[in-house]
């Protein structure tokens, strides 16, 4: 129940301030996807960093039960067509960036690595 409460609070932070065209969805387990329609990569990266900071600063109901006594998130940012030409490729690019963020020490937002030209034009 404590984990579910934290996930609900994270979902509220992700949804707060979103535009009508943006989509926030739980993607699985503890993962969420945020689709920022018609948004340039630099703007998406700023949104991701803002969300990361708001989560880090939020007083979660069960936050003290978390490692280091706080809740943090890692984010991967990817854009179409910069990182992939297909929906599956875009999710994969964002997921790869997410795991790079986790391996780099967590509590950070990283952009995906640019896709090879052949991948983008497919």
């Amino acid at each position: 129940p404590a984990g579910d409460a934290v996930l609900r609070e994270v979902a509220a932070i992700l949804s707060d301030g979103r535009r009508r065209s943006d989509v926030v969805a739980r993607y699985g387990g503890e993962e969420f996807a945020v689709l920022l329609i018609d948004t340039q990569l630099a703007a998406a990266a700023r949104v991701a960093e803002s969300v990361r900071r708001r989560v880090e600063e939020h007083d979660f109901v069960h936050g003290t039960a978390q490692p280091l006594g706080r809740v943090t998130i890692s984010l991967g940012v990817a854009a179409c067509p910069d990182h992939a030409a297909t929906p599956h490729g875009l999710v994969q690019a964002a997921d790869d960036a997410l795991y790079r963020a986790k391996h780099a020490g967590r509590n950070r937002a990283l952009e995906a690595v640019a896709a090879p030209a052949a991948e983008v034009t497919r």
Side-chain angles (χ1 to χ4, degrees):
D4 287 341
V6 169
L7 289 174
R8 281 192 297 276
E9 289 180 69
V10 168
I13 291 168
L14 292 171
S15 296
D16 183 43
R18 72 179 176 84
R19 302 169 301 179
R20 293 176 67 99
S21 61
D22 298 338
V23 177
V24 176
R26 188 166 173 192
Y27 191 68
E30 297 176 349
E31 292 187 1
F32 290 86
V34 179
L35 304 178
L36 304 174
I37 308 302
D38 291 326
T39 304
Q40 297 295 318
L41 180 60
R46 285 191 301 274
V47 169
E49 178 56 26
S50 172
V51 166
R52 186 207 60 77
R53 191 174 46 256
R54 289 185 2 239
V55 168
E56 182 180 44
E57 294 170 354
H58 183 77
D59 283 330
F60 285 87
V61 174
H62 299 286
T64 56
Q66 300 301 313
L68 305 176
R70 61 193 171 105
V71 175
T72 61
I73 61 172
S74 299
L75 300 102
V77 180
C80 183
D82 302 21
H83 301 111
T86 65
H88 175 73
L90 189 61
V91 170
Q92 186 64 54
D95 201 45
D96 290 348
L98 165 67
Y99 281 94
R100 282 187 20 255
K102 287 182 177 187
H103 289 121
R106 300 182 181 267
N107 192 28
R108 63 193 69 220
L110 293 181
E111 291 180 20
V113 176
E119 170 67 22
V120 173
T121 58
R122 259 194 272 189

